[in-house]
Amino acid sequence: MNQIATVETKAYLETLVAKVAEELISIHPRSCPVSENGLRFPRKRDGSLRISEQEAKHLFVQHIRADRQFCYSVETPTTQTYRQKGNSEMSARIDLSLVGPSGQPLVNIELKAHHCAVENIRKDLEKLVRENTTGVWFHTLERGDPGRVETLFGTFRMAFRQLSAHLQTSKKSYLINVCSLDAGVLYWRWLTLTGNLDANLAEIDSIFREDSLKSQSWQVIRFGADSRENEPDDLVRFEARTASFKGKGAKEGFFIYAPTIANDTYMHLSGRGGSYRIRNFYNKNEAKSPGFVIPGYPTLESLRASGVVTKMFSVTAEDSRHNVIKQPEYWQERIRQVNRRALADGDDPFSTIKP
């Protein structure tokens, strides 16, 4: 892998963290008590939820296995030694790694939950930086309004300041994510280091400064808009760089195949103007499916040009009479029909599915 993560790898990681965040949010009581795979947050003796990084780890592993883009390892021993407790140096553990054919880590993933002390964040950031590998930081907050997220960013600033000795040679990219369960929001962006200490510290300060959520540096994905009675076909909300936009013009509907997101099914894409929303109706315990936007591709034009969608064709006139929010059962059955015809024996959907 190149020093800076390849475009393809970065796109895959952005999609992966969005899928994990969507499922984590879906099993929080604010959304729905059970995900389609049966995962739940356990409860403590006092009845409160036990939120930890373990649920995120389970979902990362599940999606990595389903995607078949990478092999993986868990609790991966580090190549460097660390003195994080006691007086002796020893190997540490990376929560999860994507590995290449040689078995060597290509991407290291660190998982965290709650508002942590500076030292708890510093020691895991040190592993990401010193292992000299593209990294992902996925942080889960049960309550994560913008004020709480800004407070967490302050902890990151203090933690990074203690790593100056290791930042002066780092030339890697790190995908930083904060998932707020109660708000139904994923904040994400790339931190790219260049091997220059001053430049690296300036980039870190820019990303984690106090007003960073009000700046144009973070991308924001809001999940579960359907549960708040928004109509995604009329209002597609993708709050990247703090901008919400409303799609204008005629509605469009498509069946799309995007194997890096779901390699076992076609999905439904609704578009209006430059806005869009994707829904996966396949293999759901209930037909209803929340819409989402693919990270890094906030407009329909950018999605078309990305190569993420490998097959795309319009829905029929009959399909257009059925609302994806109010009649999800229709679309669940329709997707099954499309899959039987378009995916069977490698058939070309453009010849087997007629408008």
PDB file of all heavy atoms in Angstrom, residues 225-226 230-237 245-253 268-273 275-279 281 291 319-320 322-326 331:
ATOM      1  N   ALA A 225     -33.398   9.287   9.430  1.00  0.00           N
ATOM      2  CA  ALA A 225     -34.260  10.449   9.190  1.00  0.00           C
ATOM      3  C   ALA A 225     -35.708  10.023   9.018  1.00  0.00           C
ATOM      4  O   ALA A 225     -36.632  10.758   9.362  1.00  0.00           O
ATOM      5  CB  ALA A 225     -33.795  11.215   7.948  1.00  0.00           C
ATOM      6  N   ASP A 226     -35.929   8.791   8.509  1.00  0.00           N
ATOM      7  CA  ASP A 226     -37.298   8.311   8.306  1.00  0.00           C
ATOM      8  C   ASP A 226     -38.074   8.278   9.620  1.00  0.00           C
ATOM      9  O   ASP A 226     -39.261   8.551   9.658  1.00  0.00           O
ATOM     10  CB  ASP A 226     -37.289   6.908   7.697  1.00  0.00           C
ATOM     11  CG  ASP A 226     -36.638   6.900   6.333  1.00  0.00           C
ATOM     12  OD1 ASP A 226     -36.323   7.983   5.812  1.00  0.00           O
ATOM     13  OD2 ASP A 226     -36.442   5.805   5.807  1.00  0.00           O
ATOM     14  N   ASN A 230     -39.286  12.585   8.285  1.00  0.00           N
ATOM     15  CA  ASN A 230     -38.866  13.303   7.092  1.00  0.00           C
ATOM     16  C   ASN A 230     -39.190  12.433   5.884  1.00  0.00           C
ATOM     17  O   ASN A 230     -39.251  11.213   5.977  1.00  0.00           O
ATOM     18  CB  ASN A 230     -37.356  13.587   7.116  1.00  0.00           C
ATOM     19  CG  ASN A 230     -37.012  14.732   8.047  1.00  0.00           C
ATOM     20  OD1 ASN A 230     -37.854  15.573   8.335  1.00  0.00           O
ATOM     21  ND2 ASN A 230     -35.778  14.750   8.531  1.00  0.00           N
ATOM     22  N   GLU A 231     -39.394  13.032   4.767  1.00  0.00           N
ATOM     23  CA  GLU A 231     -39.629  12.303   3.521  1.00  0.00           C
ATOM     24  C   GLU A 231     -38.363  12.392   2.687  1.00  0.00           C
ATOM     25  O   GLU A 231     -38.107  13.398   2.040  1.00  0.00           O
ATOM     26  CB  GLU A 231     -40.809  12.928   2.774  1.00  0.00           C
ATOM     27  CG  GLU A 231     -41.053  12.327   1.401  1.00  0.00           C
ATOM     28  CD  GLU A 231     -41.258  10.829   1.446  1.00  0.00           C
ATOM     29  OE1 GLU A 231     -42.350  10.398   1.815  1.00  0.00           O
ATOM     30  OE2 GLU A 231     -40.307  10.108   1.097  1.00  0.00           O
ATOM     31  N   PRO A 232     -37.516  11.362   2.711  1.00  0.00           N
ATOM     32  CA  PRO A 232     -36.234  11.453   2.036  1.00  0.00           C
ATOM     33  C   PRO A 232     -36.340  11.673   0.537  1.00  0.00           C
ATOM     34  O   PRO A 232     -35.403  12.163  -0.065  1.00  0.00           O
ATOM     35  CB  PRO A 232     -35.570  10.102   2.357  1.00  0.00           C
ATOM     36  CG  PRO A 232     -36.236   9.655   3.612  1.00  0.00           C
ATOM     37  CD  PRO A 232     -37.648  10.133   3.474  1.00  0.00           C
ATOM     38  N   ASP A 233     -37.464  11.264  -0.101  1.00  0.00           N
ATOM     39  CA  ASP A 233     -37.582  11.526  -1.525  1.00  0.00           C
ATOM     40  C   ASP A 233     -37.738  13.019  -1.799  1.00  0.00           C
ATOM     41  O   ASP A 233     -37.439  13.500  -2.884  1.00  0.00           O
ATOM     42  CB  ASP A 233     -38.792  10.794  -2.104  1.00  0.00           C
ATOM     43  CG  ASP A 233     -38.494   9.311  -2.283  1.00  0.00           C
ATOM     44  OD1 ASP A 233     -37.315   8.945  -2.154  1.00  0.00           O
ATOM     45  OD2 ASP A 233     -39.432   8.551  -2.535  1.00  0.00           O
ATOM     46  N   ASP A 234     -38.260  13.749  -0.823  1.00  0.00           N
ATOM     47  CA  ASP A 234     -38.430  15.184  -1.002  1.00  0.00           C
ATOM     48  C   ASP A 234     -37.287  15.969  -0.388  1.00  0.00           C
ATOM     49  O   ASP A 234     -36.936  17.053  -0.844  1.00  0.00           O
ATOM     50  CB  ASP A 234     -39.738  15.655  -0.350  1.00  0.00           C
ATOM     51  CG  ASP A 234     -40.949  15.101  -1.071  1.00  0.00           C
ATOM     52  OD1 ASP A 234     -40.845  14.869  -2.286  1.00  0.00           O
ATOM     53  OD2 ASP A 234     -41.983  14.912  -0.417  1.00  0.00           O
ATOM     54  N   LEU A 235     -36.709  15.440   0.677  1.00  0.00           N
ATOM     55  CA  LEU A 235     -35.618  16.138   1.346  1.00  0.00           C
ATOM     56  C   LEU A 235     -34.518  15.136   1.625  1.00  0.00           C
ATOM     57  O   LEU A 235     -34.649  14.279   2.477  1.00  0.00           O
ATOM     58  CB  LEU A 235     -36.083  16.759   2.674  1.00  0.00           C
ATOM     59  CG  LEU A 235     -34.987  17.430   3.521  1.00  0.00           C
ATOM     60  CD1 LEU A 235     -34.335  18.561   2.741  1.00  0.00           C
ATOM     61  CD2 LEU A 235     -35.560  17.944   4.827  1.00  0.00           C
ATOM     62  N   VAL A 236     -33.452  15.202   0.874  1.00  0.00           N
ATOM     63  CA  VAL A 236     -32.317  14.328   1.084  1.00  0.00           C
ATOM     64  C   VAL A 236     -31.292  15.110   1.894  1.00  0.00           C
ATOM     65  O   VAL A 236     -30.748  16.098   1.425  1.00  0.00           O
ATOM     66  CB  VAL A 236     -31.708  13.872  -0.261  1.00  0.00           C
ATOM     67  CG1 VAL A 236     -30.485  13.018  -0.011  1.00  0.00           C
ATOM     68  CG2 VAL A 236     -32.744  13.103  -1.062  1.00  0.00           C
ATOM     69  N   ARG A 237     -31.053  14.656   3.121  1.00  0.00           N
ATOM     70  CA  ARG A 237     -30.226  15.421   4.042  1.00  0.00           C
ATOM     71  C   ARG A 237     -28.859  14.770   4.157  1.00  0.00           C
ATOM     72  O   ARG A 237     -28.715  13.663   4.650  1.00  0.00           O
ATOM     73  CB  ARG A 237     -30.902  15.474   5.410  1.00  0.00           C
ATOM     74  CG  ARG A 237     -30.254  16.429   6.387  1.00  0.00           C
ATOM     75  CD  ARG A 237     -31.011  16.433   7.691  1.00  0.00           C
ATOM     76  NE  ARG A 237     -32.361  16.927   7.548  1.00  0.00           N
ATOM     77  CZ  ARG A 237     -32.682  18.204   7.616  1.00  0.00           C
ATOM     78  NH1 ARG A 237     -31.759  19.111   7.816  1.00  0.00           N
ATOM     79  NH2 ARG A 237     -33.939  18.583   7.480  1.00  0.00           N
ATOM     80  N   PHE A 245     -28.966  20.241   1.932  1.00  0.00           N
ATOM     81  CA  PHE A 245     -29.518  20.712   0.677  1.00  0.00           C
ATOM     82  C   PHE A 245     -30.752  19.913   0.322  1.00  0.00           C
ATOM     83  O   PHE A 245     -30.897  18.752   0.671  1.00  0.00           O
ATOM     84  CB  PHE A 245     -28.490  20.648  -0.459  1.00  0.00           C
ATOM     85  CG  PHE A 245     -27.858  19.296  -0.641  1.00  0.00           C
ATOM     86  CD1 PHE A 245     -28.484  18.316  -1.386  1.00  0.00           C
ATOM     87  CD2 PHE A 245     -26.631  19.011  -0.075  1.00  0.00           C
ATOM     88  CE1 PHE A 245     -27.893  17.076  -1.573  1.00  0.00           C
ATOM     89  CE2 PHE A 245     -26.038  17.777  -0.253  1.00  0.00           C
ATOM     90  CZ  PHE A 245     -26.668  16.816  -0.998  1.00  0.00           C
ATOM     91  N   LYS A 246     -31.649  20.537  -0.380  1.00  0.00           N
ATOM     92  CA  LYS A 246     -32.903  19.916  -0.783  1.00  0.00           C
ATOM     93  C   LYS A 246     -32.848  19.656  -2.289  1.00  0.00           C
ATOM     94  O   LYS A 246     -32.538  20.539  -3.070  1.00  0.00           O
ATOM     95  CB  LYS A 246     -34.079  20.827  -0.454  1.00  0.00           C
ATOM     96  CG  LYS A 246     -35.434  20.230  -0.809  1.00  0.00           C
ATOM     97  CD  LYS A 246     -36.567  21.166  -0.440  1.00  0.00           C
ATOM     98  CE  LYS A 246     -36.657  21.343   1.043  1.00  0.00           C
ATOM     99  NZ  LYS A 246     -37.848  22.142   1.430  1.00  0.00           N
ATOM    100  N   GLY A 247     -33.126  18.411  -2.647  1.00  0.00           N
ATOM    101  CA  GLY A 247     -33.145  18.081  -4.056  1.00  0.00           C
ATOM    102  C   GLY A 247     -34.311  18.743  -4.761  1.00  0.00           C
ATOM    103  O   GLY A 247     -35.436  18.725  -4.277  1.00  0.00           O
ATOM    104  N   LYS A 248     -34.070  19.345  -5.921  1.00  0.00           N
ATOM    105  CA  LYS A 248     -35.112  19.988  -6.697  1.00  0.00           C
ATOM    106  C   LYS A 248     -35.206  19.314  -8.059  1.00  0.00           C
ATOM    107  O   LYS A 248     -34.233  18.786  -8.574  1.00  0.00           O
ATOM    108  CB  LYS A 248     -34.814  21.475  -6.857  1.00  0.00           C
ATOM    109  CG  LYS A 248     -34.795  22.237  -5.525  1.00  0.00           C
ATOM    110  CD  LYS A 248     -34.504  23.701  -5.741  1.00  0.00           C
ATOM    111  CE  LYS A 248     -34.492  24.448  -4.413  1.00  0.00           C
ATOM    112  NZ  LYS A 248     -34.197  25.885  -4.590  1.00  0.00           N
ATOM    113  N   GLY A 249     -36.379  19.373  -8.644  1.00  0.00           N
ATOM    114  CA  GLY A 249     -36.589  18.767  -9.945  1.00  0.00           C
ATOM    115  C   GLY A 249     -37.380  17.483  -9.816  1.00  0.00           C
ATOM    116  O   GLY A 249     -37.878  17.130  -8.755  1.00  0.00           O
ATOM    117  N   ALA A 250     -37.490  16.774 -10.924  1.00  0.00           N
ATOM    118  CA  ALA A 250     -38.287  15.551 -10.953  1.00  0.00           C
ATOM    119  C   ALA A 250     -37.593  14.430 -10.183  1.00  0.00           C
ATOM    120  O   ALA A 250     -36.376  14.308 -10.186  1.00  0.00           O
ATOM    121  CB  ALA A 250     -38.505  15.127 -12.399  1.00  0.00           C
ATOM    122  N   LYS A 251     -38.402  13.603  -9.524  1.00  0.00           N
ATOM    123  CA  LYS A 251     -37.864  12.442  -8.827  1.00  0.00           C
ATOM    124  C   LYS A 251     -37.432  11.393  -9.836  1.00  0.00           C
ATOM    125  O   LYS A 251     -38.037  11.224 -10.890  1.00  0.00           O
ATOM    126  CB  LYS A 251     -38.912  11.842  -7.895  1.00  0.00           C
ATOM    127  CG  LYS A 251     -39.317  12.717  -6.733  1.00  0.00           C
ATOM    128  CD  LYS A 251     -40.349  11.976  -5.901  1.00  0.00           C
ATOM    129  CE  LYS A 251     -40.863  12.845  -4.773  1.00  0.00           C
ATOM    130  NZ  LYS A 251     -41.900  12.127  -3.971  1.00  0.00           N
ATOM    131  N   GLU A 252     -36.367  10.668  -9.486  1.00  0.00           N
ATOM    132  CA  GLU A 252     -35.900   9.558 -10.295  1.00  0.00           C
ATOM    133  C   GLU A 252     -35.733   8.349  -9.392  1.00  0.00           C
ATOM    134  O   GLU A 252     -35.394   8.478  -8.215  1.00  0.00           O
ATOM    135  CB  GLU A 252     -34.557   9.881 -10.959  1.00  0.00           C
ATOM    136  CG  GLU A 252     -34.579  11.061 -11.905  1.00  0.00           C
ATOM    137  CD  GLU A 252     -33.195  11.318 -12.464  1.00  0.00           C
ATOM    138  OE1 GLU A 252     -32.391  11.942 -11.758  1.00  0.00           O
ATOM    139  OE2 GLU A 252     -32.923  10.887 -13.602  1.00  0.00           O
ATOM    140  N   GLY A 253     -35.954   7.173  -9.931  1.00  0.00           N
ATOM    141  CA  GLY A 253     -35.752   5.947  -9.170  1.00  0.00           C
ATOM    142  C   GLY A 253     -34.930   4.955  -9.959  1.00  0.00           C
ATOM    143  O   GLY A 253     -35.112   4.811 -11.180  1.00  0.00           O
ATOM    144  N   HIS A 268     -32.173   0.117  -3.972  1.00  0.00           N
ATOM    145  CA  HIS A 268     -32.987   1.166  -4.572  1.00  0.00           C
ATOM    146  C   HIS A 268     -32.312   2.515  -4.343  1.00  0.00           C
ATOM    147  O   HIS A 268     -31.857   2.814  -3.237  1.00  0.00           O
ATOM    148  CB  HIS A 268     -34.387   1.195  -3.964  1.00  0.00           C
ATOM    149  CG  HIS A 268     -35.268   2.277  -4.529  1.00  0.00           C
ATOM    150  ND1 HIS A 268     -35.301   3.558  -4.018  1.00  0.00           N
ATOM    151  CD2 HIS A 268     -36.131   2.263  -5.569  1.00  0.00           C
ATOM    152  CE1 HIS A 268     -36.151   4.284  -4.723  1.00  0.00           C
ATOM    153  NE2 HIS A 268     -36.672   3.527  -5.666  1.00  0.00           N
ATOM    154  N   LEU A 269     -32.232   3.309  -5.393  1.00  0.00           N
ATOM    155  CA  LEU A 269     -31.703   4.663  -5.292  1.00  0.00           C
ATOM    156  C   LEU A 269     -32.776   5.638  -5.747  1.00  0.00           C
ATOM    157  O   LEU A 269     -33.316   5.496  -6.844  1.00  0.00           O
ATOM    158  CB  LEU A 269     -30.440   4.835  -6.138  1.00  0.00           C
ATOM    159  CG  LEU A 269     -29.751   6.215  -6.097  1.00  0.00           C
ATOM    160  CD1 LEU A 269     -28.249   6.058  -6.311  1.00  0.00           C
ATOM    161  CD2 LEU A 269     -30.314   7.178  -7.144  1.00  0.00           C
ATOM    162  N   SER A 270     -33.108   6.602  -4.884  1.00  0.00           N
ATOM    163  CA  SER A 270     -34.033   7.658  -5.276  1.00  0.00           C
ATOM    164  C   SER A 270     -33.244   8.954  -5.387  1.00  0.00           C
ATOM    165  O   SER A 270     -32.413   9.266  -4.526  1.00  0.00           O
ATOM    166  CB  SER A 270     -35.158   7.804  -4.239  1.00  0.00           C
ATOM    167  OG  SER A 270     -34.640   7.986  -2.934  1.00  0.00           O
ATOM    168  N   GLY A 271     -33.493   9.693  -6.453  1.00  0.00           N
ATOM    169  CA  GLY A 271     -32.754  10.931  -6.683  1.00  0.00           C
ATOM    170  C   GLY A 271     -33.673  12.066  -7.060  1.00  0.00           C
ATOM    171  O   GLY A 271     -34.759  11.873  -7.609  1.00  0.00           O
ATOM    172  N   ARG A 272     -33.220  13.252  -6.722  1.00  0.00           N
ATOM    173  CA  ARG A 272     -33.923  14.469  -7.139  1.00  0.00           C
ATOM    174  C   ARG A 272     -32.885  15.568  -7.242  1.00  0.00           C
ATOM    175  O   ARG A 272     -32.245  15.929  -6.261  1.00  0.00           O
ATOM    176  CB  ARG A 272     -35.019  14.846  -6.149  1.00  0.00           C
ATOM    177  CG  ARG A 272     -35.610  16.231  -6.422  1.00  0.00           C
ATOM    178  CD  ARG A 272     -36.818  16.533  -5.557  1.00  0.00           C
ATOM    179  NE  ARG A 272     -38.006  15.879  -6.079  1.00  0.00           N
ATOM    180  CZ  ARG A 272     -39.231  16.093  -5.594  1.00  0.00           C
ATOM    181  NH1 ARG A 272     -39.405  16.916  -4.581  1.00  0.00           N
ATOM    182  NH2 ARG A 272     -40.270  15.486  -6.124  1.00  0.00           N
ATOM    183  N   GLY A 273     -32.721  16.097  -8.442  1.00  0.00           N
ATOM    184  CA  GLY A 273     -31.670  17.081  -8.646  1.00  0.00           C
ATOM    185  C   GLY A 273     -30.325  16.439  -8.385  1.00  0.00           C
ATOM    186  O   GLY A 273     -30.015  15.368  -8.870  1.00  0.00           O
ATOM    187  N   SER A 275     -29.371  15.462  -5.398  1.00  0.00           N
ATOM    188  CA  SER A 275     -29.458  14.697  -4.156  1.00  0.00           C
ATOM    189  C   SER A 275     -29.893  13.270  -4.424  1.00  0.00           C
ATOM    190  O   SER A 275     -30.531  12.980  -5.436  1.00  0.00           O
ATOM    191  CB  SER A 275     -30.458  15.366  -3.203  1.00  0.00           C
ATOM    192  OG  SER A 275     -30.117  16.713  -2.975  1.00  0.00           O
ATOM    193  N   TYR A 276     -29.566  12.369  -3.485  1.00  0.00           N
ATOM    194  CA  TYR A 276     -29.998  10.982  -3.641  1.00  0.00           C
ATOM    195  C   TYR A 276     -30.062  10.317  -2.270  1.00  0.00           C
ATOM    196  O   TYR A 276     -29.526  10.818  -1.281  1.00  0.00           O
ATOM    197  CB  TYR A 276     -29.048  10.202  -4.555  1.00  0.00           C
ATOM    198  CG  TYR A 276     -27.701   9.886  -3.939  1.00  0.00           C
ATOM    199  CD1 TYR A 276     -27.476   8.674  -3.274  1.00  0.00           C
ATOM    200  CD2 TYR A 276     -26.648  10.789  -4.000  1.00  0.00           C
ATOM    201  CE1 TYR A 276     -26.256   8.380  -2.699  1.00  0.00           C
ATOM    202  CE2 TYR A 276     -25.419  10.512  -3.435  1.00  0.00           C
ATOM    203  CZ  TYR A 276     -25.224   9.306  -2.787  1.00  0.00           C
ATOM    204  OH  TYR A 276     -24.008   9.022  -2.208  1.00  0.00           O
ATOM    205  N   ARG A 277     -30.715   9.172  -2.233  1.00  0.00           N
ATOM    206  CA  ARG A 277     -30.779   8.336  -1.046  1.00  0.00           C
ATOM    207  C   ARG A 277     -30.838   6.881  -1.487  1.00  0.00           C
ATOM    208  O   ARG A 277     -31.601   6.538  -2.398  1.00  0.00           O
ATOM    209  CB  ARG A 277     -32.007   8.683  -0.198  1.00  0.00           C
ATOM    210  CG  ARG A 277     -32.133   7.909   1.114  1.00  0.00           C
ATOM    211  CD  ARG A 277     -31.072   8.279   2.125  1.00  0.00           C
ATOM    212  NE  ARG A 277     -31.120   9.662   2.525  1.00  0.00           N
ATOM    213  CZ  ARG A 277     -31.857  10.153   3.515  1.00  0.00           C
ATOM    214  NH1 ARG A 277     -32.637   9.353   4.202  1.00  0.00           N
ATOM    215  NH2 ARG A 277     -31.809  11.423   3.818  1.00  0.00           N
ATOM    216  N   ILE A 278     -30.026   6.016  -0.865  1.00  0.00           N
ATOM    217  CA  ILE A 278     -29.980   4.591  -1.199  1.00  0.00           C
ATOM    218  C   ILE A 278     -30.668   3.803  -0.087  1.00  0.00           C
ATOM    219  O   ILE A 278     -30.524   4.131   1.094  1.00  0.00           O
ATOM    220  CB  ILE A 278     -28.522   4.116  -1.366  1.00  0.00           C
ATOM    221  CG1 ILE A 278     -27.879   4.809  -2.577  1.00  0.00           C
ATOM    222  CG2 ILE A 278     -28.458   2.598  -1.537  1.00  0.00           C
ATOM    223  CD1 ILE A 278     -26.402   4.525  -2.722  1.00  0.00           C
ATOM    224  N   ARG A 279     -31.389   2.761  -0.470  1.00  0.00           N
ATOM    225  CA  ARG A 279     -32.020   1.870   0.505  1.00  0.00           C
ATOM    226  C   ARG A 279     -31.764   0.424   0.131  1.00  0.00           C
ATOM    227  O   ARG A 279     -31.880   0.046  -1.032  1.00  0.00           O
ATOM    228  CB  ARG A 279     -33.534   2.128   0.583  1.00  0.00           C
ATOM    229  CG  ARG A 279     -33.884   3.433   1.257  1.00  0.00           C
ATOM    230  CD  ARG A 279     -35.389   3.643   1.292  1.00  0.00           C
ATOM    231  NE  ARG A 279     -35.718   4.825   2.041  1.00  0.00           N
ATOM    232  CZ  ARG A 279     -35.641   6.078   1.560  1.00  0.00           C
ATOM    233  NH1 ARG A 279     -35.277   6.252   0.305  1.00  0.00           N
ATOM    234  NH2 ARG A 279     -35.946   7.106   2.318  1.00  0.00           N
ATOM    235  N   PHE A 281     -33.267  -3.094   0.799  1.00  0.00           N
ATOM    236  CA  PHE A 281     -34.458  -3.779   1.287  1.00  0.00           C
ATOM    237  C   PHE A 281     -34.257  -5.291   1.442  1.00  0.00           C
ATOM    238  O   PHE A 281     -35.177  -5.994   1.824  1.00  0.00           O
ATOM    239  CB  PHE A 281     -35.641  -3.549   0.331  1.00  0.00           C
ATOM    240  CG  PHE A 281     -36.187  -2.151   0.370  1.00  0.00           C
ATOM    241  CD1 PHE A 281     -35.795  -1.206  -0.572  1.00  0.00           C
ATOM    242  CD2 PHE A 281     -37.098  -1.772   1.347  1.00  0.00           C
ATOM    243  CE1 PHE A 281     -36.305   0.085  -0.546  1.00  0.00           C
ATOM    244  CE2 PHE A 281     -37.614  -0.493   1.382  1.00  0.00           C
ATOM    245  CZ  PHE A 281     -37.225   0.443   0.436  1.00  0.00           C
ATOM    246  N   GLY A 291     -32.769   5.243   4.589  1.00  0.00           N
ATOM    247  CA  GLY A 291     -31.947   5.669   3.472  1.00  0.00           C
ATOM    248  C   GLY A 291     -30.591   6.160   3.937  1.00  0.00           C
ATOM    249  O   GLY A 291     -30.414   6.574   5.071  1.00  0.00           O
ATOM    250  N   ASP A 319     -43.399   0.638 -10.751  1.00  0.00           N
ATOM    251  CA  ASP A 319     -42.629   0.837  -9.520  1.00  0.00           C
ATOM    252  C   ASP A 319     -42.816   2.248  -8.978  1.00  0.00           C
ATOM    253  O   ASP A 319     -42.932   2.463  -7.764  1.00  0.00           O
ATOM    254  CB  ASP A 319     -41.138   0.609  -9.778  1.00  0.00           C
ATOM    255  CG  ASP A 319     -40.802  -0.837 -10.098  1.00  0.00           C
ATOM    256  OD1 ASP A 319     -41.545  -1.729  -9.638  1.00  0.00           O
ATOM    257  OD2 ASP A 319     -39.799  -1.063 -10.799  1.00  0.00           O
ATOM    258  N   SER A 320     -42.854   3.204  -9.876  1.00  0.00           N
ATOM    259  CA  SER A 320     -42.913   4.611  -9.468  1.00  0.00           C
ATOM    260  C   SER A 320     -44.202   4.955  -8.739  1.00  0.00           C
ATOM    261  O   SER A 320     -44.283   5.994  -8.075  1.00  0.00           O
ATOM    262  CB  SER A 320     -42.764   5.518 -10.696  1.00  0.00           C
ATOM    263  OG  SER A 320     -41.511   5.314 -11.315  1.00  0.00           O
ATOM    264  N   HIS A 322     -45.324   3.343  -6.259  1.00  0.00           N
ATOM    265  CA  HIS A 322     -45.217   2.825  -4.897  1.00  0.00           C
ATOM    266  C   HIS A 322     -44.155   3.612  -4.122  1.00  0.00           C
ATOM    267  O   HIS A 322     -42.990   3.651  -4.508  1.00  0.00           O
ATOM    268  CB  HIS A 322     -44.863   1.336  -4.919  1.00  0.00           C
ATOM    269  CG  HIS A 322     -45.902   0.499  -5.585  1.00  0.00           C
ATOM    270  ND1 HIS A 322     -46.980  -0.038  -4.919  1.00  0.00           N
ATOM    271  CD2 HIS A 322     -46.033   0.131  -6.888  1.00  0.00           C
ATOM    272  CE1 HIS A 322     -47.731  -0.720  -5.770  1.00  0.00           C
ATOM    273  NE2 HIS A 322     -47.182  -0.642  -6.972  1.00  0.00           N
ATOM    274  N   ASN A 323     -44.563   4.208  -3.014  1.00  0.00           N
ATOM    275  CA  ASN A 323     -43.677   5.040  -2.204  1.00  0.00           C
ATOM    276  C   ASN A 323     -42.732   4.161  -1.377  1.00  0.00           C
ATOM    277  O   ASN A 323     -43.170   3.214  -0.728  1.00  0.00           O
ATOM    278  CB  ASN A 323     -44.525   5.926  -1.271  1.00  0.00           C
ATOM    279  CG  ASN A 323     -43.687   6.920  -0.513  1.00  0.00           C
ATOM    280  OD1 ASN A 323     -43.052   6.580   0.472  1.00  0.00           O
ATOM    281  ND2 ASN A 323     -43.700   8.163  -0.978  1.00  0.00           N
ATOM    282  N   VAL A 324     -41.441   4.500  -1.386  1.00  0.00           N
ATOM    283  CA  VAL A 324     -40.455   3.665  -0.693  1.00  0.00           C
ATOM    284  C   VAL A 324     -40.576   3.775   0.822  1.00  0.00           C
ATOM    285  O   VAL A 324     -40.085   2.896   1.551  1.00  0.00           O
ATOM    286  CB  VAL A 324     -39.021   4.030  -1.129  1.00  0.00           C
ATOM    287  CG1 VAL A 324     -38.788   3.673  -2.572  1.00  0.00           C
ATOM    288  CG2 VAL A 324     -38.705   5.483  -0.856  1.00  0.00           C
ATOM    289  N   ILE A 325     -41.221   4.822   1.325  1.00  0.00           N
ATOM    290  CA  ILE A 325     -41.396   4.983   2.770  1.00  0.00           C
ATOM    291  C   ILE A 325     -42.686   4.312   3.228  1.00  0.00           C
ATOM    292  O   ILE A 325     -42.699   3.561   4.199  1.00  0.00           O
ATOM    293  CB  ILE A 325     -41.426   6.469   3.165  1.00  0.00           C
ATOM    294  CG1 ILE A 325     -40.190   7.191   2.625  1.00  0.00           C
ATOM    295  CG2 ILE A 325     -41.518   6.619   4.673  1.00  0.00           C
ATOM    296  CD1 ILE A 325     -38.889   6.628   3.119  1.00  0.00           C
ATOM    297  N   LYS A 326     -43.773   4.575   2.513  1.00  0.00           N
ATOM    298  CA  LYS A 326     -45.072   4.098   2.956  1.00  0.00           C
ATOM    299  C   LYS A 326     -45.395   2.687   2.487  1.00  0.00           C
ATOM    300  O   LYS A 326     -46.278   2.033   3.046  1.00  0.00           O
ATOM    301  CB  LYS A 326     -46.156   5.060   2.469  1.00  0.00           C
ATOM    302  CG  LYS A 326     -45.999   6.479   3.028  1.00  0.00           C
ATOM    303  CD  LYS A 326     -47.056   7.419   2.466  1.00  0.00           C
ATOM    304  CE  LYS A 326     -46.881   8.825   3.019  1.00  0.00           C
ATOM    305  NZ  LYS A 326     -47.890   9.772   2.468  1.00  0.00           N
ATOM    306  N   TRP A 331     -41.319  -2.866  -2.099  1.00  0.00           N
ATOM    307  CA  TRP A 331     -39.942  -2.768  -2.564  1.00  0.00           C
ATOM    308  C   TRP A 331     -39.102  -3.948  -2.103  1.00  0.00           C
ATOM    309  O   TRP A 331     -38.166  -4.361  -2.799  1.00  0.00           O
ATOM    310  CB  TRP A 331     -39.335  -1.437  -2.100  1.00  0.00           C
ATOM    311  CG  TRP A 331     -39.954  -0.303  -2.841  1.00  0.00           C
ATOM    312  CD1 TRP A 331     -40.920   0.550  -2.416  1.00  0.00           C
ATOM    313  CD2 TRP A 331     -39.672   0.057  -4.196  1.00  0.00           C
ATOM    314  NE1 TRP A 331     -41.265   1.423  -3.412  1.00  0.00           N
ATOM    315  CE2 TRP A 331     -40.511   1.154  -4.521  1.00  0.00           C
ATOM    316  CE3 TRP A 331     -38.799  -0.422  -5.174  1.00  0.00           C
ATOM    317  CZ2 TRP A 331     -40.486   1.768  -5.771  1.00  0.00           C
ATOM    318  CZ3 TRP A 331     -38.770   0.180  -6.417  1.00  0.00           C
ATOM    319  CH2 TRP A 331     -39.616   1.265  -6.703  1.00  0.00           C
TER     320      TRP A 331
END
